[in-house]
Amino acid sequence: MAEYLYAGYPSAIVYERGDSLDGQPPEALSPIKHLLWGDELTVLDTSADGKYHLVKVRKVEGWIRAIDTQAHRLLEIVFVDIGQGDGALVVTPGGERYVVDAGKGDNMYRFLRWRFGFKEETVLDAAVISHSDSDHYGGFEYLFKAPNIRFRTVYTNGLMENVAGRRAGVLGAMNEAGDHKYVTGLVRNKDELHEFLADAATSAGKRYPTMLRNALDAEKFDDFLMLSHSDHYMPGHGEGSDLVIEVLGPYLEDVDGEPGLRWLGDAGRTKNGHSVVLRLKLNNVSVFLGGDLNMESSQLLLEAHTGIKADPSNAGEIALLVEAARPIFQSDVAKACHHGSADTLLSLVRAINPIATVISSGDDEPYGHPRPDALGAIAKNSRGDRPLVFSTELARSTKESIKHPSVLREQLKELAAKISEADTDEKRDRAQIKFEALVDKLDRSIAVYGAINLRTDGERVVLAYKLERSTPAKGWDIYKLEPDPATGRLGYTSKFD
């Protein structure tokens, strides 16, 4: 059985293999790959003195110093560059793999195919669809259609678009209670999903339920569950777990004995605002994932979790609300809500009080995300003298053939024609190899560039992205969050401080 190790903190170098060490340490050889903390290594051999390992990482083989490796897996979150939208891969220290949103197109599929191969059946532990906007769920269509991918569970916020009028509202039945309107008739489990989809006319023409219907029919997931604050924790990750995953939203309210979600003015704001909100906690490190929360839903969550109703115009009341909310919401790293939209409640940002924020946005969109005032507000209301703000859009880099899709399209069409027209197996195989290499180049571009990588052991955090011009000795731009020796509180210190 293969032995696996992981690259040490905060990064490690793999040196050229050669036939042996020839009496010299690997450091005297040429570096061939810069690894990020936590990268998985397959051990092929170990030097007689135990100081060096011969390892394989992806398609590269070489020597690494034993002191630059570790035996345990980290919590890993990759904020994938999926363009306009959200998409993240979470790999837990226990090896579970969760896809939290998947963007609109096929970037998440390409990233996961690059990462896992999908040559054999691959079971991913969960798909978390924070809400039913296409720039969060659309990418799951590609994953559900892929022949070798299956999910154990699909988690959603319970809202399900339907043909208006068939369920008394585009998101479900509408009810009034007190001063508010609510959406009821939520789809909370697999039985209720079957019931909702039983009448095909109810979801006719609606992309989201149609996607779920097709995936259900194809047996692409085993279970289906709504997540809400009433669950407290994501199944399998309650208090006492190595990795605790709290569910902070959406916030369910009782509507004449039936669970409902508050109507926030229109269908778009309601489904965005009631995104699945998660806070991941590993020992002393926490990460906040907030979907597309908006002003109204953020205020609702703060007030509901603290029991404090604050007048937005009263600075004193707002300060008390934030102070009460921090034990619930404060996180070291946050995924910015709604791609850096200005529709951001400052009280929530202050309650989260992050050291680092990751913004997932794209440049082919009409919204101007991230908004300049949102960037300023996030930085101003974050923790530390130099709070970190990352952007998948700014971190992106691609080769010229990817930047010019027309060139790539013509290359693929030409190779596809050669495969089809080949009159010998040898010609067909040569064209097929070139075709797959070009596709792999596209997959790798999506997987490598633009992604913001988070790795943590629960005491320290590394945030990093691939440099546009990298070398085997320096391929990553790395930022470290470390505990203060005096206080133990996590923080970021710039090399220029």
Side-chain angles (χ1 to χ4, degrees), residues 352-403:
I352 298 171
N353 196 28
I355 304 169
T357 301
V358 178
I359 298 172
S360 179
S361 62
D363 51 11
D364 185 19
E365 45 87 9
Y367 311 109
H369 294 157
R371 303 292 295 179
D373 52 346
L375 287 170
I378 289 169
K380 183 178 179 181
N381 292 283
S382 294
R383 198 188 324 166
D385 295 329
R386 290 178 182 258
L388 301 169
V389 180
F390 296 88
S391 166
T392 57
E393 186 173 347
L394 294 178
R396 179 187 304 125
S397 178
T398 58
K399 301 296 185 184
E400 289 303 310
S401 61
I402 309 301
K403 288 181 180 178

Side-chain angles (χ1 to χ4, degrees), residues 82 84-86 101-105 129 131-142 161 207-208 211 271-272 292 339 367:
I82 46 73
Q84 174 60 27
D86 266 15
D101 289 329
K104 188 174 184 177
I129 304 175
H131 65 289
S132 55
D133 260 0
S134 63
D135 61 346
H136 289 249
Y137 77 78
F140 283 110
E141 285 188 317
Y142 298 91
E161 288 95 338
R207 181 182 175 190
Y208 178 60
M211 176 190 77
K271 63 183 179 180
N272 280 351
D292 276 2
H339 326 297
Y367 311 109

Side-chain angles (χ1 to χ4, degrees), residues 5-16:
L5 291 174
Y6 302 90
Y9 178 85
S11 65
I13 299 294
V14 177
Y15 298 90
E16 65 180 349

